[in-house]
């Protein structure tokens, strides 16, 4: 079982750290608003991942994979939210002289909410988790095994994202961001817009 758990954890690392909305949002918040906001955003992403893990274990992912009105609606809401985030980033490129300030309670809540919604509105997350879990689940495993896999997904992802936020606080990385924040925000906005358009385009194949 230990070998299987290590293999599963490796698959999850590749999936969680592949470029996507969660990583883009988390990177931008960590660079622009500091470690505290980044940690709360990472916690929000992890909470969203809890829901996706539960859905994957329960088999609900098959519903999204099969298509239908629910799948279409989720993709539309996800695309709209990504475009909203892109619009906020685009607006920030027009602001001059932005400086980081101490993270307030409201900013922490905003970071948490942004991370949670970004993850929970990603229809690919639950499908990916269901597909990744499938090879590691069989009749030979005890009944608690799927829940252990789910716990690995959430806890491993949360800890790795916290480490990523911490790494982004290094002075050299912050100095680069301070000099290029308008360009970086514009780049993030374009990437999020592209992901939103990709989601809309995928509706045609449902």
């Amino acid at each position: 079982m230990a070998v299987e758990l290590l293999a599963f954890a490796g698959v999850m690392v590749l999936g969680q750290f592949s470029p996507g909305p969660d990583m883009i949002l988390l990177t931008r918040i960590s660079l622009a608003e500091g470690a505290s906001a980044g940690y709360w955003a990472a916690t929000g992403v992890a909470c969203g991942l809890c829901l996706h893990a539960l859905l994957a274990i329960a088999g609900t992912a098959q519903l999204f994979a099969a298509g239908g009105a629910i799948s279409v609606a989720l993709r539309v809401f996800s695309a709209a939210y990504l475009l909203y985030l892109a619009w906020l980033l685009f607006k920030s490129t027009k602001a001059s002289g932005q400086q980081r300030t101490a993270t307030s309670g409201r900013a922490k809540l905003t970071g948490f909410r942004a991370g949670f919604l970004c993850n929970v509105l990603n229809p690919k997350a639950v499908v990916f988790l269901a597909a990744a879990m499938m090879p590691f689940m069989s009749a030979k495993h005890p009944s608690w095994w799927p829940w252990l896999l789910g716990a690995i997904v959430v806890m491993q992802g949360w800890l790795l994202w916290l480490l990523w936020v911490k790494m982004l606080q290094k002075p050299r990385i912050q100095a680069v961001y301070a000099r290029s924040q308008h360009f970086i925000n514009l780049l993030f906005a374009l990437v999020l817009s592209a992901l939103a358009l990709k989601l809309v385009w995928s509706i045609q194949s449902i």
Side-chain angles (χ1 to χ4, degrees), residues 7-148:
F8 179 72
V11 171
M12 286 299 101
V13 169
L14 295 176
Q16 289 164 342
F17 268 80
S18 60
D22 291 340
M23 184 57 64
I24 293 168
L25 180 70
L26 188 57
T27 299
R28 192 270 166 183
I29 290 177
S30 301
L31 289 173
E33 301 178 30
S36 183
Y39 293 147
W40 278 95
T43 303
V45 172
C47 288
L49 201 56
C50 284
L51 179 59
H52 281 144
L54 287 172
L55 291 175
I57 292 171
T60 312
Q62 297 177 5
L63 179 63
F64 295 116
I70 294 179
S71 184
V72 171
L74 188 57
R75 282 169 167 80
V76 170
F77 279 121
S78 301
Y81 184 66
L82 291 178
L83 287 174
Y84 170 71
L85 292 176
W87 178 70
L88 292 179
L89 286 174
F90 181 73
K91 278 208 318 180
S92 73
T93 64
K94 297 182 178 181
S96 58
Q98 282 186 322
Q99 298 292 330
R100 296 201 329 181
T101 58
T103 306
S104 66
R106 183 175 181 179
K108 293 174 182 178
L109 178 60
T110 300
F112 176 88
R113 183 178 58 199
F116 177 77
L117 289 176
C118 189
N119 182 268
V120 83
L121 288 176
N122 183 1
K124 292 185 178 180
V126 64
V127 177
F128 169 77
L129 284 180
M133 286 181 173
M134 195 73 66
F136 296 91
M137 291 196 289
S138 65
K140 69 177 182 179
H141 293 118
S143 58
W144 48 262
W145 178 259
W147 302 104
L148 177 58

